């Protein structure tokens, strides 16, 4: 279940792992003052001052970790709507915050403590995951899944990378954060064709409804199927009940704002070893 905790949202599924902290931001609690970025915008280059983005990242990191770690532990990358996931370590701390970003990607996996991978979204799907190794230590993931990444199977790629680091597959739990849901995600024929091509026509038919000549895509459904294929069954996946485009007062939404918007963050970190 998702619930609000101050300026962020958390999933009770991930809180079952006591050595992990995680959170999904919304719009409130930041320092950005321009109306469409107000106020917790986490991405530079959208019209915000760099120092605002840095201050917001600090605020977000503290909120996620209940004050235990700050923005200098954050790791962000330029996101490219791919299925590329990087394994991050202590050497990546501060990327995109206090130093240059590393290689472009749309997800991070780590088994090291004290680093906070953050993915950023404004309608796309943020996914946070955690699981354990046989010795009880943690492996975590943060994933940005737009429709290309969703159909491209990035959630499954992240699961495989977690298992490469030693995670036991059937310990993995996932939280699918707030994104544009099927109620508001109208798409065109070219979208249907692209999803069919990226995956297969059956996948497209299962997750894109057609009604009165209009198509609506279900990004959560796509990711639930991809995760299930990777061995993470739906009963281990928590899905946010909210929709960014239904609530542009609460969440940044690319669609609802016509593209003039900030971004939200989803971050996760290992705080203690077990
Ligand atoms: Zn909606």
């Amino acid at each position: 279940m998702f619930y609000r905790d101050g300026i962020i949202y958390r999933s009770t599924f991930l809180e079952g792992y006591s050595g992990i902290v995680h959170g999904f931001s919304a719009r409130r609690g930041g320092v950005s003052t321009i109306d469409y970025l107000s106020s917790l915008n986490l991405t530079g280059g959208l019209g915000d001052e760099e120092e605002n983005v840095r201050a917001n990242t600090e605020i977000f990191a503290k909120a996620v970790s209940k004050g235990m770690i700050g923005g200098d532990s954050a790791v962000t990358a330029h996101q490219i709507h791919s299925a590329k996931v990087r394994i991050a370590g202590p050497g990546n701390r501060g990327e995109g915050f206090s130093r240059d970003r590393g290689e472009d990607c749309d997800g991070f996996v780590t088994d090291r403590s004290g680093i906070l991978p953050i993915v950023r979204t404004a309608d796309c799907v943020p996914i946070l995951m955690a699981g354990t190794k046989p010795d009880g230590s943690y492996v975590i993931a943060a994933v940005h899944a737009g429709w290309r990444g969703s159909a491209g199977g990035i959630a499954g790629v992240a699961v495989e990378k977690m298992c490469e680091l030693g995670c036991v597959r059937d310990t993995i739990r996932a939280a699918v954060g707030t994104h544009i849901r099927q109620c508001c995600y109208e798409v065109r024929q070219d979208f249907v064709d692209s999803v069919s091509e990226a995956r297969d026509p059956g996948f497209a038919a299962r997750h894109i409804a057609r009604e009165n000549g209009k198509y609506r895509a279900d990004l959560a459904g796509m990711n639930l199927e991809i995760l299930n294929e990777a061995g993470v069954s739906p009963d281990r996946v928590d899905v946010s009940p909210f929709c960014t485009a239904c609530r542009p007062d609460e969440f940044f939404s690319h669609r609802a704002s016509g593209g003039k918007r900030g971004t939200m963050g989803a971050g996760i970190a290992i705080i203690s070893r077990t």
Side-chain angles (χ1 to χ4, degrees):
M1 194 185 82
F2 273 74
Y3 71 98
R4 207 183 111 193
D5 179 14
I7 64 168
I8 61 175
Y9 288 83
R10 301 191 206 266
S11 157
T12 52
F13 279 37
L14 295 183
E15 285 187 323
Y17 285 137
S18 58
I20 302 282
V21 292
H22 80 285
F24 299 85
S25 69
R27 293 189 64 159
R28 74 169 70 83
V31 301
S32 302
T33 52
I34 298 173
D35 188 47
Y36 69 90
L37 299 169
S38 171
S39 61
L40 193 65
N41 168 46
L42 291 171
T43 302
L46 302 171
D48 215 347
E49 304 285 341
E50 275 305 316
E51 63 184 76
N52 287 346
V53 175
R54 281 174 54 86
N56 287 339
T57 304
E58 182 70 27
I59 290 166
F60 177 59
K62 288 268 164 64
V64 166
S65 68
K66 300 167 187 176
M68 287 184 277
I69 56 177
D72 56 352
S73 294
V75 185
T76 61
H78 178 59
Q79 299 172 173
I80 50 174
H81 292 275
S82 69
K84 189 173 159 192
V85 176
R86 278 168 55 197
I87 292 176
N92 303 105
R93 288 178 86 234
E95 282 181 3
F97 179 77
S98 47
R99 47 200 279 231
D100 287 348
R101 292 201 173 111
E103 224 178 305
D104 295 353
C105 68
D106 290 280
F108 297 99
V109 168
T110 190
D111 61 353
R112 305 298 295 270
S113 63
I115 70 167
L116 175 69
I118 299 174
V119 291
R120 288 150 305 140
T121 62
D123 283 349
C124 290
V125 186
I127 305 173
L128 300 177
M129 292 190 271
T132 58
K133 299 186 188 183
D135 67 0
S137 63
Y138 294 111
V139 183
I140 56 172
V143 173
H144 158 254
W147 72 264
R148 284 180 197 280
S150 297
I154 188 170
V157 172
V159 168
E160 295 312 320
K161 295 241 184 223
M162 290 173 78
C163 294
E164 270 172 40
L165 290 179
C167 191
V168 178
R169 197 176 292 265
D170 65 15
T171 65
I172 297 175
R173 302 176 192 178
V176 173
T178 304
H179 59 280
I180 188 166
R181 294 187 65 111
Q182 199 161 19
C183 44
C184 294
Y185 197 27
E186 194 176 319
V187 297
R188 291 193 300 256
Q189 182 66 46
D190 59 345
F191 179 101
V192 182
D193 295 343
S194 297
V195 170
S196 299
E197 206 174 300
R199 204 88 204 157
D200 60 73
F203 183 85
R206 283 192 292 283
H207 304 296
I208 304 170
R210 183 170 193 169
E211 207 176 287
N212 304 325
K214 287 182 175 172
Y215 294 106
R216 289 178 198 278
D218 176 11
L219 295 174
M222 290 184 195
N223 284 290
L224 282 165
E225 179 173 334
I226 298 280
L227 285 168
N228 192 42
E229 256 173 32
V232 183
S233 53
D235 60 312
R236 285 188 279 136
V237 185
D238 199 3
V239 181
S240 168
F242 311 111
C243 167
T244 46
C246 284
R247 292 288 312 280
D249 58 318
E250 174 73 358
F251 305 104
F252 289 122
S253 171
H254 187 81
R255 280 262 174 132
S257 65
K260 233 174 147 45
R261 45 69 185 178
T263 65
M264 303 178 289
I268 186 165
I270 300 168
I271 294 299
S272 64
R273 200 163 174 274
T274 53

